[in-house]
Amino acid sequence: VSMAATGLEKLVLFNYHMIFVDIQLPDMSGLELIKTLRANGVMHSTPIIAVTASDDDALRRIAKEMGCNHFMKKPLTLESLQE
């Protein structure tokens, strides 16, 4: 885990192997963050997992369209991460 002025800044500066993005972030939409990361050439192949408390199929579809690889419902458990 690392800190930066913004999450987006940190994600662009460092080479992470996988990124978990909460759909409801305080500063911007998690969906917009996913879209921005995918538009950045550095993040084109990094797996992005969208995380939310919502079980909305439309939200799941939109997250996939924005570029996330997987969608997980909160609360996350060790078992759900191993699936």
Side-chain angles (χ1 to χ4, degrees), residues 2-76:
S2 305
M3 298 298 292
T6 67
L8 180 57
E9 176 184 307
K10 179 59 76 175
L11 291 171
V12 172
L13 290 174
F14 293 91
N15 185 22
Y16 290 99
H17 298 284
M18 181 181 298
I19 301 168
F20 287 81
V21 176
D22 194 320
I23 296 298
Q24 295 183 330
L25 297 171
D27 295 334
M28 71 184 305
S29 161
L31 296 173
E32 279 301 313
L33 176 59
I34 293 168
K35 183 178 177 181
T36 301
L37 290 172
R38 288 303 186 213
N40 178 333
V42 177
M43 296 291 169
H44 70 278
S45 63
T46 304
I48 298 177
I49 294 84
V51 180
T52 184
S54 174
D55 206 13
D56 183 7
D57 287 334
L59 183 59
R60 181 184 303 260
R61 180 182 43 73
I62 292 167
K64 293 277 189 175
E65 289 172 2
M66 292 288 191
C68 81
N69 299 89
H70 193 65
F71 189 93
M72 297 185 77
K73 188 171 182 313
K74 291 179 189 178
L76 298 183

